[in-house]
Amino acid sequence: MSEQEELMSRVPLAELRKSIREGRFQDQTGSLAPGKLQGNVVILPADQALHFSAYCQRNPRPCPLVGMSDVGDPRLPQLGDIDIRTDVPRYNIYEHGELKAQVSDLSEIWRKDFVTFVLGCSFSLEKALVDAGIPLRHLKMKAMPAVFVTDIETIPAGPFGGSMVVSMRPLTVVDAIKAIEISAQFPHAHGSPVHFGDPGAIGIADLQKPDWGPPTPVLPGEVPLFWACGVTPQVAIRKARPPICITHAPGSMLITDIDA
Amino acid sequence: MSEQEELMSRVPLAELRKSIREGRFQDQTGSLAPGKLQGNVVILPADQALHFSAYCQRNPRPCPLVGMSDVGDPRLPQLGDIDIRTDVPRYNIYEHGELKAQVSDLSEIWRKDFVTFVLGCSFSLEKALVDAGIPLRHLKMKAMPAVFVTDIETIPAGPFGGSMVVSMRPLTVVDAIKAIEISAQFPHAHGSPVHFGDPGAIGIADLQKPDWGPPTPVLPGEVPLFWACGVTPQVAIRKARPPICITHAPGSMLITDIDA
């Protein structure tokens, strides 16, 4: 962590929420509010939302649903004092699957048929692994983990479907066993890995050429472990091409009031 | 288990499914197809289904969602070779929250806007407890567990809400600890208990007067444990009074192809 990140991580949640709500903070949230659950955000009109809720139910590893709003209601009382129109640092607005705009406030474009979905992300999992003494190389590189499209098909629901996206973390065999054991206890943060070992077995041609993020080196004696990744629903949304869909901007997650 | 139950429990799943599908078996399913996941069934029109999926998401202990169909599609491929119009022994049909009919086939009344929800039930949990050597008194009594309405409010979603319903099982302290540990591993079968000890703390006035089922005696040295119960969503549906809703008839569950 840089000195600035270290300082930011000590800002109390209420203050942080206020500066996000007022549009003063529009940055990445990874190191903020340690111990609080952060989530991927997907906002869809009600006519798409039923399909998307089925998509999450059928694919809990890539899409662990931790919260779902009422139709048209911007609040998420189960996740805290949240107004989803203002409480994410930055939003991506997609029309027919294409990124049209990036904004920091949805108040002007909020609709009475919008439904918000919050999906768990891997931050809580990574914290638990680090706390257990398992070294994560991408964190030492101050980078996101290497992320790959696989040939594992998700179970479709209505227009949503497509390939599972995974993040890769290389570990020694002893740490891999520990990491599987620990991550199984975090079903809301993608749970246990979907694969380890041979990347080709899940359709990954070259570990040095991730689809997102820089490559993470795999050292001799290490095994690559592959966890389902929150990019999966974004790929599903691009494929479904709904007239409108709003998500958090990459890395700028919703910080909730609940413990991770 | 009676001799007849013992015989029935050995009928292969495919044969059992066929006799249910053809309307020849319309009875309780508790002792059938041991090791296979059985589920509570709720069928609602699409305009109610989005609310009900949010209700399940917010109340996973009473409403552990194990399957959800596409709109209008009677199949549930994730749970096996199932046609929900025929594969439950008996169905209850509710109109505006009132029981209107009990049937063994929905083919004639199936609608293109119906969505099926399958919720896990406590059978898998009870099997795991018994396998671990934990004695369950109601099974020895050949009865259902004592079931109570509590004053724990579920988190509402749209028209769905109301009190949590729980089932009670009395155990020694040592077995209670073991049962909590084991049941926590079955989130799809209501998971760990919501309470143990003082019934008054969750609004139960008299353990000898259950709202459903016969009373289960609590012996000296035993603690009553309370698990969230699948009757909860039925109470929520009665409260919501949707124009139409179809459920399994009590005890006549959907038997799936997947392992419990």
Side-chain angles (χ1 to χ4, degrees), chain A residues 92 94 96-99 212 233-242:
Chain A
N92 279 352
Y94 294 91
H96 302 285
E98 304 290 330
L99 180 62
W212 291 270
Q234 296 184 22
V235 169
I237 288 160
R238 248 171 249 181
K239 194 180 130 75
R241 303 174 61 80

Side-chain angles (χ1 to χ4, degrees), chain A residues 46 49-50 53-54 57-58 65-71 78 115 155 157-158, chain B residues 46 49-50 53-54 57-58 65-71 78 115 155 157-158:
Chain A
L50 182 61
S53 86
Q57 194 278 321
R58 292 174 194 171
L65 192 54
V66 296
M68 190 175 159
S69 78
D70 284 330
V71 180
Q78 282 75 54
V115 177
I155 303 172
Chain B
L50 182 60
S53 85
Q57 195 278 322
R58 291 174 195 171
L65 192 53
V66 296
M68 190 175 161
S69 79
D70 284 330
V71 180
Q78 282 77 54
V115 177
I155 304 172

Side-chain angles (χ1 to χ4, degrees), chain A residues 37-41 66 118-121 123 248 252-256:
Chain A
L37 184 82
Q38 298 200 18
N40 296 293
V41 174
V66 296
V118 181
L119 313 179
C121 78
F123 291 160
H248 67 286
S252 295
M253 323 291 278
L254 173 68
I255 303 174
T256 74

Side-chain angles (χ1 to χ4, degrees), chain A residues 188-243:
Chain A
H188 284 339
H190 303 304
S192 54
V194 293
H195 180 60
F196 69 74
D198 177 21
I202 55 170
I204 298 173
D206 186 350
L207 277 189
Q208 291 314 304
K209 292 180 182 156
D211 294 288
W212 291 270
T216 311
V218 183
L219 303 185
E222 286 181 343
V223 180
L225 281 92
F226 301 91
W227 274 270
C229 171
V231 176
T232 311
Q234 296 184 22
V235 169
I237 288 160
R238 248 171 249 181
K239 194 180 130 75
R241 303 174 61 80

